[in-house]
Amino acid sequence: MILTEAIKTTLLFRQVPMTAQQIAYFLFFNHMLQASSLQDMVREVEKEVFLNPGLFTISDELVSLSGWHTAERDLVQQVFSKVQQAIVLFRELGQSSDCCNNMVLALLLYKRLSDIERSQQLGAPIVPRLWKFDQVAATTMLSELPSRVYEVMDYIERTDDRLANIFLFCKEELSNLSETDHLLKLQEVMRLLASLQLAEVHVPTPLFQAIFSRLFWNNVKYTSKGLGAELV
C-alpha cells in the first residue's frame, strides 16, 4: 500500500480528523507500512500531507480528507505544484526560504487579480490590460521587470484599502533586484506562474481563497519552524 492510500484509509477508518503523529502511529503499529522508526513515519506522513493539498486538509494541526471534487482537487494540486516549482527557482539564488515563499505568494496574488476580467470583478481592483501579469512577464524588458512589477503592485495597494501593504515585503525585495541572474530568475518564475489560469471562470473565488489560505499558513508554519530551529 502506498503512503497516500494508507493515510486515506486511516482517516476513513477512524472517521475523525487526526494529527500527523496519530496517523503515523496507526500506520506504524498496525504494520500497514514499513519504516525504520515511528519518527521516520511521522516525517513521511507530514511530507505526504503537505504535498497533497488536493486530498488532505489541515486545520489546527488536524488532517482530514478534503471535500473537493476531482476537478477541484486536480486544480489545487496544479497550483501548489507550480508554486513549489517557483519557490525552488528562487531558492537557487541562495535566498532564505521565507523570502522565497513570500515573493511567490505575492506574485501569485498579482497573477490572480490580473486574470480576473472586468465582468468577473467581485470587488477586486481592476488591473489595466497593459499591466496584466502575463503581459508584463512576456513583454517587459529584463532590466525594467522589477520596477514594472513594483509599479503594478503599488497601484493595486492604492486602489483597494483592503490590500494596503499586502505587497510590502515583495516590493522591498524587488527594489533590491539588479543583478542579471536575479532578474532572469524573476522572469523565469513569472513565466512559470503565467501558465496558470486563475480567472474566476477557472478558479471560483471560494476555491482560490482556500488555496491561498493554505499556502499562506504553510508559509507561516514553515517560517515558524525555521525560527524555532535557529533559537535552539
Side-chain angles (χ1 to χ4, degrees):
M1 180 181 292
I2 62 174
L3 183 54
T4 302
E5 290 302 317
I7 296 172
K8 288 171 60 178
T9 299
T10 300
L11 291 170
L12 287 170
F13 176 76
R14 297 301 299 272
Q15 291 292 299
V16 292
M18 303 169 68
T19 65
Q21 290 78 7
Q22 290 171 330
I23 295 171
Y25 185 93
F26 186 89
L27 296 176
F28 188 79
F29 288 100
N30 285 286
H31 307 289
M32 294 176 67
L33 291 169
Q34 298 296 317
S36 57
S37 68
L38 176 58
Q39 193 55 44
D40 284 344
M41 182 66 79
V42 171
R43 283 193 290 268
E44 289 300 313
V45 169
E46 288 179 335
K47 179 181 177 182
E48 195 69 17
V49 169
F50 178 81
L51 293 175
N52 287 280
L55 288 174
F56 306 113
T57 298
I58 306 174
S59 178
D60 295 327
E61 303 295 327
L62 293 174
V63 180
S64 58
L65 292 172
S66 74
W68 287 318
H69 300 299
T70 301
E72 295 173 326
R73 190 181 305 135
D74 291 344
L75 184 58
V76 172
Q77 291 292 145
Q78 181 189 23
V79 173
F80 269 72
S81 176
K82 295 291 185 183
V83 166
Q84 285 305 118
Q85 291 177 52
I87 290 172
V88 169
L89 287 173
F90 270 137
R91 286 180 184 167
E92 292 175 359
L93 295 174
Q95 302 279 60
S96 64
S97 297
D98 57 326
C99 172
C100 298
N101 294 353
N102 287 329
M103 286 284 288
V104 172
L105 283 181
L107 291 170
L108 182 69
L109 182 57
Y110 166 25
K111 164 68 173 169
R112 162 66 175 184
L113 293 174
S114 71
D115 273 11
I116 301 175
E117 298 296 333
R118 185 179 296 271
S119 61
Q120 301 169 342
Q121 294 296 324
L122 300 174
I126 297 172
V127 178
R129 187 162 300 279
L130 291 178
W131 281 359
K132 294 285 188 180
F133 187 96
D134 296 359
Q135 176 81 5
V136 171
T139 65
T140 305
M141 290 178 57
L142 191 63
S143 61
E144 297 177 358
L145 188 57
S147 59
R148 178 57 56 84
V149 175
Y150 184 109
E151 186 178 14
V152 180
M153 289 183 171
D154 190 61
Y155 165 82
I156 293 172
E157 287 180 333
R158 288 186 287 104
T159 303
D160 192 329
D161 291 340
R162 296 169 301 173
L163 300 176
N165 296 321
I166 197 167
F167 296 118
L168 181 62
F169 179 86
C170 186
K171 290 195 300 182
E172 289 179 358
E173 291 299 314
L174 289 168
S175 298
N176 297 323
L177 292 182
S178 58
E179 298 179 18
T180 301
D181 58 336
H182 287 65
L183 300 180
L184 286 169
K185 196 62 66 176
L186 173 63
Q187 183 183 67
E188 186 177 3
V189 167
M190 290 188 66
R191 289 182 176 178
L192 173 67
L193 295 177
S195 64
L196 292 169
Q197 293 182 311
L198 299 181
E200 183 72 19
V201 66
H202 299 295
V203 188
T205 295
L207 182 57
F208 181 80
Q209 289 174 336
I211 292 171
F212 196 82
S213 176
R214 173 74 179 270
L215 287 167
F216 176 80
W217 285 112
N218 280 354
N219 184 28
V220 170
K221 182 177 179 181
Y222 188 93
T223 302
S224 298
K225 282 187 174 181
L227 290 173
E230 291 176 4
L231 294 173
V232 173

